[in-house]
Amino acid sequence: MKIAIGNDHAAVEMKKEIQAYLTELGHEVVNYGTDTTESCNYPEYGEKVGRAVAAGEVDCGVLICGTGVGISIAANKVKGVRAAVCSDVTTAHLVKEHNNANIIAFGARIVGIEKAKDIVKAYLDAEYQGGRHQKRIDMIHEIENR
Ligand code: RB5
């Protein structure tokens, strides 16, 4: 898969480790995040990854900031984005299965690197279940159009 990754200053090390992990798993990773720990603004990176995902330039995205929250809120402002913050493996597979999340987010200050890898793997391995869930996703996107 082609995967966009983005992060702010709070998540540089974790981004590097997740990027390497994704590459190891055989994915192509496009880095939209910052590579320095100099203070920066997470909305910039949330938007960049959100736009890449919404435009279909990549298959999905991974966003990391201190909590995963700010950067996912920013990404969710891009039409077509469904970014989900996860701190556990169960949520990580359910956000694909039920919500067809096209971006997974987590916090470098919240989860350790091994948990972060498990979260990403659970998300990537899961499949969207469609069916009754599609109507609800359609309803979410109707909100964007109102
Ligand atoms: C940066 O200090 C921090 O606010 C940011 O990484 C993130 O946690 C915001 O949601």
Side-chain angles (χ1 to χ4, degrees), residues 85-94 104 106 111 115 118-119 122:
V85 186
C86 298
S87 300
D88 66 275
V89 166
T90 305
T91 309
H93 69 79
L94 283 172
I104 188 148
F106 43 87
V111 297
K115 174 70 77 66
D118 289 348
I119 285 171

Side-chain angles (χ1 to χ4, degrees), residues 8-10 42 65-71 109:
D8 71 358
H9 58 276
Y42 58 77
C65 64
T67 59
V69 174
I71 203 160
R109 294 173 179 160

Side-chain angles (χ1 to χ4, degrees), residues 52-115:
V53 169
E57 291 163 14
V58 292
D59 298 299
C60 63
V62 175
L63 286 173
I64 323 168
C65 64
T67 59
V69 174
I71 203 160
S72 63
I73 289 174
N76 275 317
K77 297 298 176 190
V78 177
K79 195 171 177 175
V81 166
R82 293 176 304 280
V85 186
C86 298
S87 300
D88 66 275
V89 166
T90 305
T91 309
H93 69 79
L94 283 172
V95 299
K96 174 72 78 54
E97 290 165 2
H98 289 195
N99 313 111
N100 202 13
N102 47 18
I103 296 180
I104 188 148
F106 43 87
R109 294 173 179 160
I110 307 296
V111 297
I113 185 61
E114 294 309 321
K115 174 70 77 66

Side-chain angles (χ1 to χ4, degrees), residues 42-59:
Y42 58 77
E44 181 182 335
Y45 307 101
E47 181 180 6
K48 279 182 181 160
V49 169
R51 293 212 182 277
V53 169
E57 291 163 14
V58 292
D59 298 299

